[in-house]
Amino acid sequence: MIGSIQHLFHFLFNVQGLIQWGGTLLVCGIVFIETGFFVGFFLPGDSLLVTAGVFAATGNLKLAELLLLVPLCAIAGDQVGYWIGRKAGRALYRREDSLIFRKRHLERAHQFYEKYGGKTVILARFVPIVRTFCPPVAGAAMMPYGRYVAYDVAGGFVWVGSMILGGYFLGSMIPDIGDRIHYVIGAVILLSLLPPIISVLRAKFGRAQKLSGPVPAVPSERK
């Protein structure tokens, strides 16, 4: 059982192997699941898209298909997440943790939404985990659907387009990049993890400052 789970995770995080095996359709499927269902929070997102762009540059995938189909799947996935949140409402926040659901991820996305408002739908695309839990948060908050769709369409095309085109131009400029693709994937994963790491550090620093309180002034000696 444990061996099967390890094999599954190895398969899912072998981004290069995934694309070679499933092509554009598999990229579309993974993006749809990552953005539409709670189970998708651990799936590769940014690294998958950048690698797909590199593969398009080397002629293994068609760039036009990626730029058209993948954003549509990202938008469709978000619609599923939005309506899950809209129907479940506040009950989402009372749900217990499970294999495919983590309340702390939902609360983090909620804080992100409270801070940035409607712009969260676009900004969350570039933050792992938050992009999975942002749509149900927006739905639970009863964000007007027309406004949500406008932000979602913009965010879907900007996120997918920037990642795929970034990989495409990288693949076009660097000869034999396929032999170094693991370095590209590692760099993208590191960059995608920076925003949540910075957010966590800021939150911890802020709590530490509140707990310590203001430093009392030292009275000056009178002569």
Side-chain angles (χ1 to χ4, degrees):
M1 177 66 178
I2 295 177
S4 299
I5 294 174
Q6 290 176 336
H7 179 74
L8 175 62
F9 273 89
H10 175 74
F11 176 72
L12 289 173
F13 286 95
N14 180 12
V15 177
Q16 184 178 1
L18 280 174
I19 296 175
Q20 288 174 330
W21 180 69
T24 299
L25 288 180
L26 186 63
V27 175
C28 288
I30 290 175
V31 168
F32 175 78
I33 294 171
E34 187 199 13
T35 54
F37 300 94
F38 297 131
V39 70
F41 72 90
F42 64 86
L43 292 173
D46 301 328
S47 58
L48 181 76
L49 296 179
V50 172
T51 307
V54 171
F55 271 63
T58 58
N60 292 298
L61 295 176
K62 294 181 180 179
L63 181 63
E65 288 184 357
L66 289 170
L67 292 177
L68 175 62
L69 298 178
V70 181
L72 294 178
C73 290
I75 294 165
D78 266 16
Q79 303 307 302
V80 173
Y82 175 89
W83 286 107
I84 288 174
R86 188 78 175 238
K87 297 297 182 182
R90 303 303 301 179
L92 273 177
Y93 296 93
R94 298 190 296 270
R95 183 174 174 177
E96 297 298 324
D97 285 350
S98 65
L99 182 64
I100 64 172
F101 178 82
R102 292 290 183 271
K103 190 183 295 185
R104 69 178 184 274
H105 297 329
L106 185 69
E107 290 169 349
R108 181 177 157 206
H110 180 79
Q111 292 169 0
F112 203 92
Y113 182 82
E114 288 293 314
K115 182 176 181 179
Y116 295 107
K119 290 182 292 186
T120 300
V121 181
I122 295 177
L123 296 176
R125 291 284 193 182
F126 297 88
V127 184
I129 298 178
V130 173
R131 65 171 159 258
T132 299
F133 288 85
C134 169
V137 166
M142 295 295 176
M143 182 178 182
Y145 185 63
R147 185 167 172 242
Y148 175 79
V149 169
Y151 279 118
D152 189 37
V153 170
F157 277 97
V158 169
W159 174 54
V160 173
S162 63
M163 293 295 155
I164 290 178
L165 289 175
Y168 181 83
F169 288 120
L170 196 62
S172 301
M173 291 188 301
I174 302 176
D176 301 322
I177 193 173
D179 298 332
R180 306 178 184 87
I181 192 67
H182 52 286
Y183 293 116
V184 176
I185 294 171
V188 172
I189 292 174
L190 179 62
L191 289 173
S192 67
L193 290 176
L194 281 180
I197 290 173
I198 292 172
S199 177
V200 169
L201 291 176
R202 281 180 175 174
K204 287 186 176 181
F205 182 72
R207 284 197 297 268
Q209 281 189 323
K210 287 181 181 179
L211 290 173
S212 61
V215 178
V218 178
S220 59
E221 293 184 2
R222 292 183 180 180
K223 295 183 178 178

